[in-house]
Amino acid sequence: GEYLTDRLADDTIAFMQREKARPLFLCLWTYNPHYPFEAPEELIEKYRGQEGPGLKNPIYGAQLEATDRAVGRVLAELERLELADNTLVIFTSDNGGWSGATDNRPLRAGKGYLYEGGLRVPLIVRWPGVTEAGSVKAEPVVSMDLTATVLDAAGVSLAEGETLDGESLRPLFTGGKLRRDSLCFHYP
């Protein structure tokens, strides 16, 4: 049958095609990699027998590739629609990998832990005219910064008296520094 991540990419692409003349905000949540473990059979077969350091479950590996494939299709459509040069793209996740299906080497632990293996996630940003392609920043940031960054990119100011927990990452991308001194995390 049809795979959910592929269908979500199809729906996202159809929306972009339909609304390409208007400013838009898209959020593509693929639910991958995540339990329940489901992936296209041809991708599962590709990872069967590949278990070892970094991969404990072939379906998990297949979910990663399915996500990569879906994101690649959306990025290709942004190019085809000539929207890529005017689009902020953020790729991230909500927590580290689940230790039952993967490991987060060289980071300690995984999902549900306050160690880096549970907290550190990918953050890839493409913001034409702001980010430098291929650059890497080591400054710790937090998901709350994404709201401030998206509002900054859209030119939206907060109303009087409104505040955000995060801050725009634009200064970091343009050679500056963020204003905060520390980040705190809590896991009950």
Side-chain angles (χ1 to χ4, degrees), residues 134-155:
S135 64
V136 176
K137 306 293 181 186
E139 176 126 6
V141 299
V142 67
S143 58
M144 280 83 71
D145 295 333
L146 301 180
T147 301
T149 304
V150 168
L151 292 174
D152 181 5

Side-chain angles (χ1 to χ4, degrees), residues 1-11 30-44 58-70 73:
E2 188 179 30
Y3 183 57
L4 177 62
T5 298
D6 293 332
R7 190 172 69 238
L8 292 170
D10 291 342
D11 292 347
T30 65
Y31 203 72
N32 275 341
H34 205 275
Y35 186 83
F37 294 141
E38 301 172 331
E41 192 57 41
E42 77 275 4
L43 293 181
I44 296 170
I59 302 172
Y60 192 87
Q63 286 182 315
L64 290 172
E65 185 167 336
T67 299
D68 183 63
R69 183 172 69 183
R73 289 179 52 222

Side-chain angles (χ1 to χ4, degrees), residues 7 10 16 49 66 80 83 154:
R7 190 172 69 238
D10 291 342
M16 290 180 342
R80 193 188 75 71
L83 297 174

Side-chain angles (χ1 to χ4, degrees), residues 99-161:
S99 298
T102 189
D103 63 59
N104 297 299
R105 293 178 205 192
L107 306 176
R108 182 177 176 187
K111 178 180 180 172
Y113 289 88
L114 286 172
Y115 299 112
E116 281 191 82
L119 297 175
R120 189 178 281 204
V121 298
L123 177 61
I124 302 169
V125 177
R126 184 180 76 184
W127 190 354
V130 178
T131 56
E132 180 184 342
S135 64
V136 176
K137 306 293 181 186
E139 176 126 6
V141 299
V142 67
S143 58
M144 280 83 71
D145 295 333
L146 301 180
T147 301
T149 304
V150 168
L151 292 174
D152 181 5
V156 175
S157 299
L158 298 177
E160 187 177 328

Side-chain angles (χ1 to χ4, degrees), residues 76-112:
E77 188 63 14
L78 281 172
E79 292 287 342
R80 193 188 75 71
L81 294 172
E82 298 180 352
L83 297 174
D85 289 341
N86 194 29
T87 301
L88 165 63
V89 175
I90 299 170
F91 179 90
T92 192
S93 180
D94 61 345
N95 50 249
W98 179 55
S99 298
T102 189
D103 63 59
N104 297 299
R105 293 178 205 192
L107 306 176
R108 182 177 176 187
K111 178 180 180 172

